[in-house]
Amino acid sequence: EVVYLAFFKTLGLRAWLPNVILLLEKLGLTLVTFALAKRVLEERAALLAGLLFLTVGARFDNGDFHWLSILAALAAAWALIEARTPRRLILAGALCGLSAFFMHPRGFLAVLGLAGCLLWEHRTEGASWGKTLAKEAWLLGSFSATVLCAFGSFIWKAGFDRFWDQTVTFNYRYYPLCAPELSSWRSYLADLPRVTSLSDAARWLNAFTLAAQ
């Protein structure tokens, strides 16, 4: 809602703005996926990974907060895939914080995953603990600062207890009761289309590949 509000405040109430946001989101997903794939695949093969977001069915991407969170998390991985300099670590931490702003669990898991990769790099490359801890500090410090800035105004206005209750406790306690078919491990891959023709098989493959990501 904050992203859409910012666009509407800046450009006015335009009917085409949601489509523009969706276009920018898909373009961002395509570019960052291609950039990541290019680091491990040949350029031609890397194009296929990026083009996935341009060919998959629109019902899997409606411009909501889930995909903005994914975009930020993927961008954080891209920032560190080539080098782990302080500038890149700060950028990755900020992007994970932004991902957490859109969807709390994904951003927190993303930064924990990157922090784990830094520890694994320390183990495999034999770097000193001082350098490794400094990298962790850049990453987690940037993440914490971004989360504080993103949620600070909401916490200030509502109070921490109310903020925690509405963003964590409420979802954990009541969401499974409202949508039990969508809020457990049983819902994974439950939305795959039925295959009754060759064209359905192509749609199923697209849906499965996207869900696997």
Side-chain angles (χ1 to χ4, degrees):
E1 289 84 357
V2 175
V3 172
Y4 283 87
L5 177 62
F7 272 88
F8 285 133
K9 284 283 189 180
T10 304
L11 301 175
L13 296 176
R14 312 290 183 183
W16 44 265
L17 264 181
N19 290 330
V20 170
I21 296 173
L22 178 61
L23 178 63
L24 293 175
E25 176 196 275
K26 279 204 169 190
L27 180 61
L29 287 167
T30 300
L31 292 176
V32 75
T33 304
F34 172 70
L36 285 169
K38 192 170 64 171
R39 299 294 303 172
V40 295
L41 300 171
E42 294 183 359
E43 193 162 310
R44 288 185 178 181
L47 280 173
L48 296 177
L51 290 176
L52 166 68
F53 291 101
L54 296 180
T55 57
V56 72
R59 71 191 184 94
F60 292 100
D61 190 354
N62 56 6
D64 67 1
F65 61 93
H66 296 90
W67 291 102
L68 293 173
S69 179
I70 291 173
L71 176 58
L74 287 175
W78 166 82
L80 295 184
I81 195 171
E82 187 171 352
R84 268 67 65 193
T85 62
R87 183 176 299 179
R88 287 177 175 268
L89 289 163
I90 291 173
L91 175 60
L95 288 167
C96 287
L98 186 62
S99 178
F101 177 69
F102 291 124
M103 190 174 182
H104 314 327
R106 180 171 287 117
F108 282 97
L109 289 175
V111 76
L112 287 177
L114 294 178
C117 287
L118 293 177
L119 292 176
W120 182 263
E121 188 176 56
H122 161 79
R123 179 176 179 273
T124 56
E125 296 188 1
S128 67
W129 273 111
K131 290 183 178 180
T132 300
L133 293 177
K135 291 179 180 180
E136 298 282 7
W138 285 117
L139 176 69
L140 298 177
S142 173
F143 172 78
S144 300
T146 303
V147 168
L148 184 61
C149 291
F151 293 112
S153 63
F154 300 100
I155 296 174
W156 177 264
K157 292 180 180 179
F160 181 80
D161 291 340
R162 185 178 179 84
F163 174 82
W164 181 266
D165 181 68
Q166 295 297 314
T167 58
V168 178
T169 306
F170 180 88
N171 294 320
Y172 175 78
R173 181 176 298 172
Y174 297 110
Y175 183 65
L177 301 178
C178 298
E181 74 281 1
L182 298 176
S183 55
S184 72
W185 62 270
R186 295 181 182 86
S187 65
Y188 188 66
L189 296 180
D191 199 34
L192 291 177
R194 294 183 178 180
V195 178
T196 58
S197 65
L198 187 60
S199 61
D200 289 339
R203 289 177 56 243
W204 187 95
L205 180 61
N206 273 340
F208 177 82
T209 306
L210 184 60
Q213 293 195 5

